[in-house]
């Protein structure tokens, strides 16, 4: 779940230290905006993040290179 201006369901994928957030529709968020992710069960992801880039229905945020918790749970 992503909460910025409104809550919405999203999908997350990770490559290295970049987490890509894909929303079901255009989100209107961009670099420097703050989002809060919740409901993943991972303390590495369930918190507030600053958007690195965003357009259309995708956002990217920076995460630790090796997370303590994995998204595959």
């Amino acid at each position: 779940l992503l909460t910025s201006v409104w809550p919405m369901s999203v999908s997350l994928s990770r490559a290295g230290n970049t987490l890509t957030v894909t929303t079901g529709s255009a989100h209107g968020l961009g670099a420097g905006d703050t989002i809060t992710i919740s409901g993943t069960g991972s303390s590495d992801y369930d918190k507030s993040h600053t958007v690195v880039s965003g357009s259309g229905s995708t956002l990217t945020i920076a995460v630790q290179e090796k997370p303590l918790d994995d998204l595959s749970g």
Side-chain angles (χ1 to χ4, degrees):
L1 180 68
L2 171 102
T3 307
S4 55
V5 178
W6 63 95
M8 66 173 58
S9 294
V10 299
S11 63
L12 305 174
S13 61
R14 182 197 167 104
N17 63 351
T18 300
L19 185 66
T20 299
V21 180
T22 304
T23 61
S25 60
H27 47 69
L29 301 170
D33 289 333
T34 300
I35 62 169
T36 301
I37 297 174
S38 63
T40 69
S42 169
S43 61
D44 292 321
Y45 305 114
D46 288 351
K47 59 186 172 184
S48 293
H49 301 272
T50 300
V51 174
V52 173
S53 66
S55 70
S57 62
T58 61
L59 299 165
T60 58
I61 58 176
V63 293
Q64 294 182 166
E65 182 68 31
K66 296 184 180 182
L68 299 174
D69 300 322
D70 188 2
L71 281 174
S72 63

